[in-house]
Each structure stands twice: as C-alpha cells, then as structure tokens.
Amino acid sequence: MQRILYTGMVAFGLAGAGADAADLTLTLDDLTRLGSGPMIAQEIAGLPADPALPVVELADESNAARQLRGLVARGVSQGFDRILYDNRDRDHSTLPSSRFPNLTFLRYATDLVAGSVDYGLAGPVLIPALVFGNSSTAMTSGLHARSLVRHAMTAPGGAARAYRDYVSNSLYMYPEHRDHDAVDLYPANWPYTTISQGSSGSDHPFMDAIAMTLAAFPADTRAALEENGLVAPTVQMIMRRNLNGVRTQASYLSAIAHPTVFSSDMLRPERMIGQAAAMRPDDIPPVVRLKIVEEDFAQGAGLAGLDEHLFTTPSAIARIWRSFAWERQMVVSAASTVDPNGHELRFDWVLLRGDPARVRIEPLGHDKKMARITVNWHNTFVLPSRNPADDQGLETSRVDIGVFAWNGRSESAPAIISISFPTHQIRTYEAPPGQTARLVSVDYDAKGREVYYDPRLHWSAPWVDRFNYALDGTLEGWTRTTGGEQEEFDAAGQPADGTSADYHIVSAPGEAPSLGLMRQGQEN
C-alpha cells in the first residue's frame, strides 16, 4: 500500500505559501517483478494538486516563477498535479520541500533504503508515471571512479536501462564530477539523461528549470505525452531548443545545442516554460528510433580481440574503434520512427562533433530515412570553446552524429551515434601515393607515458609496433619493440619464429588492465 505523509501543515489562502510538498512512501509491497526485469511500482503516481496551494513558493519573484503562476492561474497549465520528484542522494542535493508545494516527493521505506534501492543511478525500480529526479553523487574512489552517467554508459545493461526510463516518462539529472573538465571522458553522448557541469549541487538549476517546464504543459498535451512515453524526449528537446545561443532551427541542428554536458549558464527557463505551455497535442515530436542496417565494427577487433559495440539502443548507438583500419563505415536507418500524430517526417543527419574532412554522411533515398556514415581515424582534438575568454576548449576523442525528425511543427530530440577512439594509443597513419591511408605504427604504452585510459574499456601494453606492408599494400606483419628489444610478428599477430602465442588481458588488483602475450609452453 502507498503511505502518504504530509511533512508540513496545509493552511488556507496566502498562509499556504509556507506549506511543504507531500511525501509518498514507496514500500516493498508496492513492487512487483516480471521475470528477470526490473522491479515495477505499478500503482505509484504523484498526488493530485491542491488548488489552495501556490504553484511556486511565494517568496520567489523570478520571471520564471511569475510566468508559471500566471499560466496556472489562467488554466493554461496544470502545475504539479500528479508529478513525482525522486531524490536519489538522500537529500544531499535536493529540492526544498517548500519550493513547489504541490510537487509529490517520493520516499523509500526503511527496507528499500537498506538495500540502496533509493540511492545513486536510477534504474532499480521502474515507475510508470511522470517522474523527474536527481542524484548528486559519483563513484569517487578506486580504479573505476567516474560519474554515474559514465558508469551507466560503460556497465553491462546500463544503456538499456537508461533508454527504458527515457521512454517511460522519467527524467534524471546527474553531475559530471571530473568527467568533463579539461577532457571529455565520456565514451558516448545520449539524450537519456541530463548531465550538469560540476559536482554536488550543479544539478539544482536543471531540476528547477525542468520541474517548471513539466508544470507548464497544458493538461491535454501532458496526457498525450504520458500516454505515448514522450515526456522525457520532449523535455530534452525543449531544454536544448532554448539554450543560450540556440535561436534558430539551424542552430538547434548544430553542436551548440547538443553537448555531452550542460552548464547552468546555458539555461533559459522562461523560454522553456513558454514553449511547453504553447505546445498542443498535435505539435508533439516523435522519439527517433535507429537501427543498424550494416557496419564493419566487429565483435572482436584489435590485438585483444575485444568487442567494438559499446551499446546499441534505439536512440543512442555507441562504438569503440579498436581495429587497425583507417576508415570505418555503417548504414543506419531511422525508418522505425513514428510521429505520434501521423505527420510525415523529415530527417536530418548532422555531424555534431568531429572533423568534417574525416566524416562523411550520405543520406539515402528521397525521404532520408537511412544514411551511410563513413568515418576516418581521429586523434584527440579540441572542441571550440563556447566562451571566448577561456584559454582552451575541451579535449575529446569522440565523433557524434545527431539524427533529428521534423514533423512540420516541432523538431525531435536527437538520437545520437557516437564513435570513440583509443587515443591513449599513439597511432600514426600514412597514405602512400595512390593508396588509402594505412597504419604505420602504434605506441600502446599508455602506462609508461602515464596517460589515462578507461579501465573498463581499454588496456595498455609495454611495446610499440611498426607495421610492414607488401608492395601491393597487403599487411605482412609488424616489428615490435619492447624495452629496446625487437621481435617480428606476422599479420595474424603471431611470432615470426613459428611459435604460437595468445594475447590476454592482465588485471592486477588496483591497477588498470594491461595486454599480455602468453607464448606456447608458458604458464599463465
């Protein structure tokens, strides 16, 4: 059973300005599990709004607060009726309960708290209701220290859970905490979560702006969004469409609107509220759904034979370049995208990050529902700075391609294809006259150079390989230099002296993984 606890006394008239939001406690009895899937809180939803309470605390005289109050007073918007707020850091960085008196705060019973169901990354519980929340936490120690979103991107099943929440009307915000300072350490970009620049508390402006955007939707529009699982994609579009510097459709279809991480100075909450309030059910954009038709990213590539598929979900696809190749290709379809109102869709395929000279996007067919994407190897590069006063931009080793659907009324949120490069390796490519560029050498010794690499995705090895080619460009093998000693290997990576060897990952406790070479007759 749901237990509803009111944390503040509800008075009448203006005295309601001091009222706190209501609490709704989730208990173990509220949860069911279907097969091996998540626990589901099927009957949990936000509480009905009390018209005697203000939509925003009366002490707030900001333009956004006044705007939202006016919309609710005129009956344009329905405020926080049946909206749930899920704080997942045990009130470390939470909305004040007095901020939005009609907002319902989700609480967790003691037994669920003991199992940490309430803490950290969203996903242990699926709540099929309108929910927004945050966790201003990160994995701050150990070899795998990282933000919660990078954890989700690199842990098995993390991307699938993020997509599941995205199309279940759940919006969550997390800080980047050291994953996006001088270097962007994220191996992918996606629309599933909102990542704030900074650490604890940096998510507050986003919670506030997104809360008021949700409260601004007209009742019929919000009902249609919830029914179609389009709340989160639509709010993502609204936030990005109204960022500072995003003034036109062309600027929305550009890198400025779709960074990995968002700074609070980019937000324009008044414009977000305005667009939400003006949206009619017929304006709702679709969620873009992608499918790989063909690709040359493989399940086993590079010396270690590791998978190049980081994740494949309908609105975000991520690949890791492990192959020796100079050029990779994939064909992607967005044909599964359906407009909720049956409108005809136009698709835009946009390079959001990467060298335009090394990425070619070829839309296919008159409707552009498919595209062939060709990418050449990228070394680490620096993004243009948004602030001219900055000394330097952000370093990155990733290409992003955004896919957008336009229904004649609204742009969709992006679906994003990401390709990350192992630039902790030093690779040299050269193009002989009349031939395609080919790999000349690889310095694998990231540990020796004291260069960071993600231990969940990559490895280091204490050698440099220089590649040997026949006159026709066929790879013959390579010469390996390890600590001043040289050894020859054939094109399959086996010692040229006729012995056999296997590559394997070595992971010492507390150390990032290395690649080892076990020769025939050696003990593991």
Side-chain angles (χ1 to χ4, degrees):
M1 296 289 292
Q2 302 174 31
R3 293 182 294 171
I4 303 170
L5 307 175
Y6 290 93
T7 59
M9 295 185 64
V10 179
F12 294 98
L14 289 179
D20 288 345
D23 285 356
L24 188 152
T25 300
L26 182 69
T27 72
L28 189 59
D29 291 339
D30 294 317
L31 302 179
T32 58
R33 190 187 295 275
L34 299 178
S36 59
M39 294 181 288
I40 302 175
Q42 194 70 49
E43 302 300 323
I44 295 293
L47 302 173
D50 181 347
L53 296 177
V55 65
V56 183
E57 59 183 344
L58 295 183
D60 185 355
E61 290 296 327
S62 67
N63 290 336
R66 291 180 179 183
Q67 181 183 10
L68 184 58
R69 286 191 196 105
L71 290 166
V72 174
R74 297 195 306 273
V76 174
S77 304
Q78 66 180 129
F80 290 97
D81 185 64
R82 302 182 188 277
I83 296 178
L84 271 174
Y85 168 60
D86 180 17
N87 174 260
R88 301 191 55 80
D89 56 29
R90 296 175 183 167
D91 294 337
H92 169 63
S93 174
T94 187
L95 282 172
S97 58
S98 61
R99 177 74 177 124
F100 304 116
N102 268 313
L103 181 63
T104 304
F105 276 56
L106 182 66
R107 305 296 185 186
Y108 293 81
T110 303
D111 50 355
L112 298 180
V113 172
S116 294
V117 174
D118 67 317
Y119 195 73
L121 196 66
V125 176
L126 177 60
I127 304 173
L130 200 168
V131 184
F132 78 100
N134 71 300
S135 185
S136 204
T137 60
M139 302 169 67
T140 59
S141 62
L143 183 61
H144 293 152
R146 63 198 56 223
S147 68
L148 292 188
V149 175
R150 184 153 71 105
H151 169 63
M153 288 178 174
T154 55
R161 287 190 293 272
Y163 172 74
R164 180 200 69 199
D165 285 346
Y166 182 63
V167 293
S168 300
N169 300 322
S170 297
L171 304 91
Y172 284 92
M173 287 141 270
Y174 307 93
E176 54 83 21
H177 187 65
R178 300 182 182 177
D179 276 350
H180 193 266
D181 295 335
V183 181
D184 184 347
L185 296 178
Y186 291 93
N189 193 356
W190 64 22
Y192 300 155
T193 57
T194 298
I195 314 173
S196 59
Q197 183 65 46
S199 296
S200 292
S202 64
D203 45 2
H204 263 269
F206 296 89
M207 288 190 283
D208 214 63
I210 286 175
M212 289 196 283
T213 300
L214 291 170
F217 284 116
D220 55 351
T221 302
R222 209 186 93 186
L225 289 170
E226 291 189 57
E227 181 181 354
N228 290 283
L230 292 171
V231 172
T234 301
V235 172
Q236 280 283 1
M237 178 276 290
I238 289 174
M239 181 186 74
R240 295 159 187 256
R241 183 64 180 84
N242 293 289
L243 294 173
N244 274 320
V246 181
R247 297 180 178 87
T248 64
Q249 188 178 51
S251 57
Y252 178 74
L253 298 176
S254 73
I256 190 172
H258 309 287
T260 321
V261 171
F262 295 85
S263 299
S264 60
D265 63 1
M266 301 169 71
L267 289 171
R268 293 192 292 180
E270 296 91 344
R271 292 180 63 90
M272 294 170 64
I273 292 167
Q275 185 172 3
M279 182 173 286
R280 306 305 305 144
D282 199 44
D283 300 331
I284 295 172
V287 59
V288 176
R289 290 181 167 89
L290 302 178
K291 182 178 180 181
I292 296 290
V293 177
E294 61 183 63
E295 63 175 323
D296 57 14
F297 289 92
Q299 292 184 342
L303 288 182
L306 299 180
D307 198 346
E308 294 186 297
H309 303 85
L310 181 56
F311 56 77
T312 303
T313 58
S315 297
I317 294 169
R319 297 292 182 260
I320 304 172
W321 190 303
R322 303 189 190 278
S323 163
F324 296 154
W326 163 254
E327 185 170 280
R328 314 299 297 277
Q329 193 171 99
M330 61 171 61
V331 176
V332 183
S333 172
S336 297
T337 305
V338 177
D339 186 78
N341 293 294
H343 299 308
E344 186 175 346
L345 298 175
R346 183 198 77 200
F347 292 91
D348 290 287
W349 303 73
V350 180
L351 178 62
L352 300 176
R353 175 177 297 194
D355 182 349
R358 297 192 179 197
V359 181
R360 296 175 297 285
I361 303 172
E362 179 188 356
L364 303 175
H366 70 280
D367 54 11
K368 299 182 179 180
K369 289 183 179 179
M370 294 175 58
R372 177 176 290 106
I373 299 167
T374 306
V375 182
N376 298 143
W377 170 267
H378 282 58
N379 292 314
T380 298
F381 56 99
V382 177
L383 295 174
S385 175
R386 293 185 69 251
N387 182 355
D390 289 345
D391 292 331
Q392 61 181 23
L394 193 73
E395 289 188 359
T396 185
S397 301
R398 196 183 74 236
V399 164
D400 289 338
I401 295 159
V403 187
F404 302 84
W406 165 253
N407 65 7
R409 292 162 172 80
S410 301
E411 290 282 359
S412 71
I416 301 176
I417 303 161
S418 298
I419 301 170
S420 65
F421 297 82
T423 54
H424 60 284
Q425 303 171 359
I426 299 177
R427 293 194 180 196
T428 302
Y429 287 86
E430 292 180 357
Q435 297 186 30
T436 302
R438 63 195 188 192
L439 187 61
V440 174
S441 65
V442 184
D443 181 344
Y444 292 105
D445 195 9
K447 283 187 178 180
R449 289 181 272 108
E450 298 184 344
V451 174
Y452 174 80
Y453 57 95
D454 190 332
R456 286 189 179 173
L457 305 178
H458 298 296
W459 44 267
S460 175
W463 58 66
V464 176
D465 288 343
R466 185 165 185 86
F467 293 80
N468 309 312
Y469 296 89
L471 291 177
D472 64 359
T474 303
L475 177 65
E476 293 185 326
W478 54 81
T479 302
R480 174 164 298 163
T481 302
T482 309
E485 300 291 327
Q486 289 191 340
E487 187 175 7
E488 300 299 322
F489 288 78
D490 63 22
Q494 294 299 314
D497 62 9
T499 61
S500 62
D502 292 318
Y503 293 96
H504 62 286
I505 301 293
V506 179
S507 295
E511 292 187 8
S514 297
L515 190 68
L517 184 64
M518 186 168 64
R519 299 175 187 279
Q520 185 179 33
Q522 287 183 331
E523 295 294 329
N524 191 352

